[in-house]
Amino acid sequence: MDAVRPDPARSAAAGGYNFAYLDEATKRMIRRALLKALAIPGHQVPFGAREMPLPYGWGTGGIQVTASVIGPTDVLKVIDQGADDTTNAVSIRRFFARVAGVATTESTRAATIIQTRHRIPETPLSEGQILVFQVPMPEPLFKLEPRVRESTRLHALADYGLMQVKLYEDIVRYGEVATSYNHPVMVAGRYLMSPSPIPAFDNPKLHMNPAILLFGAGREKRIYAVPPYTPVRSLDFEDHPFRPIRAPHACALCGSTESYLDEVIVDDRGGRMHVCSDTDYCRERREGRR
Amino acid sequence: MYVAVKGGERAIAHAHAWLAEIRRGDPAAPEVTLAQLMEQLGLAVDRVMAEGACADRELAALALKQARGDTTEAAFLLRAYRNTLPRFGAAEPVDTAAMRIERRISATFKDLPGGQVLGPTFDYTHRLLDFSLADPGPPPPPAPEAEPEGDATPRVTDVLAEEGLMAREPPGNEEPPDLTREGLRLPAGRALRLQALARGDEGFLVALGYSTQRGYGNAHPFVGEIRVGEVAVEYIPPELGFAIDIGDLLLTECQMVNQFAGSASAPPQFTRGYGLVPGRNERKAMAMALVDRALRAEELGEEKTAPAQDAEFVLYHCDNVESTGFVEHLKLPHYVDFQSELEKLRSLRARWGQEGQ
């Protein structure tokens, strides 16, 4: 065991807990896993995930990754479904404000670390930013091969035929690939990776992204990563190329025809409204900064 | 040494006296009342009520007190009592669309008529021990209140069904089967399966539901909606011929939206998993909805590969009164059978010794 010096950042704001909740030895363990994950893009690195004061499946992996990379000068943004005001995003943001006392923001541009569930922001990320994904199931093959020992072997052999066959069967049955979110990707031509349940619309943003993309799965105890400027290809066929989809409407608030939209039910007579899922992007457009 | 029947009787009487004493605990600590259990340990009471299959919170609280907080034992007590009640008929289907909403959330739509209502939930609390609760204190200030929005709160699945995106469930007018009167028959129709799941063990259903999320069974679920609140229970007495309101019931309902089934004759549609539990218990309602959907594999033409999709496996093992009874019966004397096993083993060993020479 490494000796752990008392952390000078241990603050009253954290209410008696270490800075960013996790103890320093745990953070070091997670950082090692992160470095390994960055060195082998798309490969799932096991790590000793801890019990967190939020339930498994609610972002414990992402929270542990964020807690391990965040420093007192960082500016944190947390989104869920693209929005800063969704309940779980509010809860996680409050958690870090409470245990790390860091500055938080709703602006994608102003943030140094963005923790996300199910979306990649519309505003392009830049070098130096870190995007932390909350991952429910890190194993892209789990629906086809639930046994972890077996899927590990398939990754070792880069044997991804199962997934290609699944996509092929979709095309035979439905005429197109039926995966609308969590569409699997090949990272740097070697590892098949779950992009986490982001809509297929967001998949192209993974490719050659200048930001560091970190993925944390707490319950399954895996970390993986896509380093900046890494090629990421959504799995497809030459004659059935990958096709990201969005609702064919404009945002009712900002008019965007490019952003990913949420469908809102306005009555029980079939009335619908579409609005940007990314609340910061929508606000910026309405305030005329684009 | 001898074993006398009298000795057994005395041992039992003494053991039960000890149980009564330890149930009460240190008399210096005040005795809990049923009102305290119902008010302050309400979720444990609700769990007993659901698994005990008897919608009476006061009896469930009594069972919980008598069982020293063991919810499975308490459910057993309540079931045994329930069995003695006469059955006079089946209520009309409750209308959960007309529920007086205490909590209503949808994970599939950001906003919808009736709105998202969090209600008194643990969700989004940080799981940090609140040491201020360690000692009794003044009651918390009342939570802020808002006027209800007024409009109806249509079920998300109905909204989807309106557009044809959700498979409709055929309405059934016949009296539902009664698991407690006829027992489990296989293949079990969905009404009977749901009945078994509604009184099934929460832990077992959560584990099975979880297994479908981890690839053991082909699950792609979304929480279309969870709603908690009171509904009116109506009954048509044969001598009247029209429905009368016989009381209110607090229920938790979960409708899971699952991925498409389609065929040559029907376009792809979402399919439904359904959970309904008396009292407040959304973990159970969600697990039930996952398992209900998994059990529909055969009906929807899916390959059955996982435990959660196997109706016989699930339905025969989900009842904790049955399962705990049989597991714990192993504590009973088995002297006679074991004696014959001993003799058999000695005989086999002797034969092995002779033939080995």
Side-chain angles (χ1 to χ4, degrees), chain A residues 53 87 91 142 219-220, chain B residues 124 126-127 210 213-214 220:
Chain A
T87 39
S91 173
F142 85 97
R219 187 178 41 77
E220 299 283 339
Chain B
Y124 316 113
H126 299 150
R127 267 51 165 214
Y210 180 46
Q213 291 180 280
R214 293 193 67 263
H220 306 258

Side-chain angles (χ1 to χ4, degrees), chain A residues 17 21 52-55 58 81 83 85-88 91-92 94-95 98 137 142-143 146-148 174 178 180-181 219-220 262-268 272 276-277 279, chain B residues 107-113 118 123-129 131 152 154 156 159-160 162-163 165 210 212-222 259-262 268:
Chain A
Y17 290 98
Y21 185 78
M52 298 299 284
L54 284 86
W58 296 55
Q81 312 300 300
D85 62 351
T86 33
T87 39
N88 205 36
S91 173
I92 293 172
R94 279 177 46 210
F95 175 72
R98 180 171 175 179
M137 280 304 289
F142 85 97
K143 282 184 177 152
R147 292 167 299 171
V148 174
Y174 298 109
S180 56
Y181 62 92
R219 187 178 41 77
E220 299 283 339
D262 282 341
E263 186 166 328
V264 176
I265 302 179
V266 292
D267 55 43
D268 57 355
R272 298 283 195 278
C276 286
S277 127
T279 46
Chain B
T108 51
F109 294 103
K110 185 167 187 172
D111 199 7
L112 63 176
L118 280 181
D123 296 353
Y124 316 113
T125 61
H126 299 150
R127 267 51 165 214
L128 303 168
L129 278 175
F131 294 105
V156 167
V159 172
L160 288 170
E162 222 28 63
E163 206 187 320
L165 294 175
Y210 180 46
T212 69
Q213 291 180 280
R214 293 193 67 263
Y216 291 86
N218 189 30
H220 306 258
F222 293 94
Q259 254 179 10
F260 343 107

Side-chain angles (χ1 to χ4, degrees), chain B residues 263-341:
Chain B
S263 64
S265 56
Q269 279 185 314
F270 287 124
T271 57
R272 185 183 326 221
Y274 188 73
L276 185 72
V277 184
R280 297 175 180 88
N281 192 340
E282 75 189 44
R283 182 189 302 127
K284 164 88 177 273
M286 294 175 78
M288 178 174 167
L290 290 174
V291 175
D292 169 51
R293 177 59 184 79
L295 291 177
R296 299 180 68 197
E298 201 163 309
E299 155 202 353
L300 295 169
E302 295 164 352
E303 201 183 355
K304 267 170 50 181
T305 53
Q309 295 168 318
D310 184 334
E312 182 163 343
F313 179 79
V314 173
L315 299 179
Y316 267 108
H317 301 118
C318 69
D319 190 292
N320 59 18
V321 176
E322 288 174 7
S323 56
T324 199
F326 200 55
V327 166
E328 295 197 40
H329 107 284
L330 295 172
K331 293 184 286 192
L332 290 180
H334 285 78
Y335 316 135
V336 172
D337 291 351
F338 190 67
Q339 186 61 43
S340 64
E341 286 277 86

Side-chain angles (χ1 to χ4, degrees), chain A residues 253-276:
Chain A
L253 300 177
C254 78
S256 174
T257 52
E258 331 247 272
S259 67
Y260 192 78
L261 300 174
D262 282 341
E263 186 166 328
V264 176
I265 302 179
V266 292
D267 55 43
D268 57 355
R269 294 174 300 281
R272 298 283 195 278
M273 184 174 107
H274 292 84
V275 293
C276 286

Side-chain angles (χ1 to χ4, degrees), chain A residues 112-281:
Chain A
T112 57
I113 300 173
I114 302 171
Q115 181 168 328
T116 180
R117 175 167 172 267
H118 294 192
R119 276 308 311 270
I120 298 175
E122 308 285 1
T123 306
L125 302 175
S126 47
E127 283 183 20
Q129 284 185 305
I130 298 176
L131 185 60
V132 178
F133 293 76
Q134 300 172 199
V135 180
M137 280 304 289
E139 177 49 65
L141 297 169
F142 85 97
K143 282 184 177 152
L144 307 169
E145 177 47 77
R147 292 167 299 171
V148 174
R149 273 176 70 175
E150 185 59 21
S151 58
T152 307
R153 199 180 65 88
L154 294 176
H155 280 295
L157 300 173
D159 180 354
Y160 299 130
L162 271 178
M163 186 57 85
Q164 292 286 2
V165 169
K166 191 259 170 199
L167 299 184
Y168 169 76
E169 285 180 345
D170 274 0
I171 292 168
V172 170
R173 189 170 302 161
Y174 298 109
E176 60 184 286
V177 170
T179 313
S180 56
Y181 62 92
N182 209 350
H183 186 102
V185 294
M186 283 297 290
V187 179
R190 172 59 180 85
Y191 281 99
L192 188 72
M193 184 186 93
S194 160
S196 84
I198 57 174
F201 175 85
D202 279 343
N203 271 23
K205 298 175 189 163
L206 296 165
H207 180 63
M208 301 302 279
N209 197 308
I212 297 174
L213 311 181
L214 303 178
F215 297 77
R219 187 178 41 77
E220 299 283 339
K221 301 173 177 56
R222 295 287 186 280
I223 279 172
Y224 53 97
V226 176
Y229 303 109
T230 302
V232 177
R233 185 176 65 78
S234 298
L235 223 57
D236 63 357
F237 296 100
E238 277 172 15
D239 52 344
H240 280 272
F242 172 77
R243 194 167 61 88
I245 43 176
R246 67 184 285 282
H249 300 278
C251 171
L253 300 177
C254 78
S256 174
T257 52
E258 331 247 272
S259 67
Y260 192 78
L261 300 174
D262 282 341
E263 186 166 328
V264 176
I265 302 179
V266 292
D267 55 43
D268 57 355
R269 294 174 300 281
R272 298 283 195 278
M273 184 174 107
H274 292 84
V275 293
C276 286
S277 127
D278 185 333
T279 46
D280 173 59
Y281 168 86

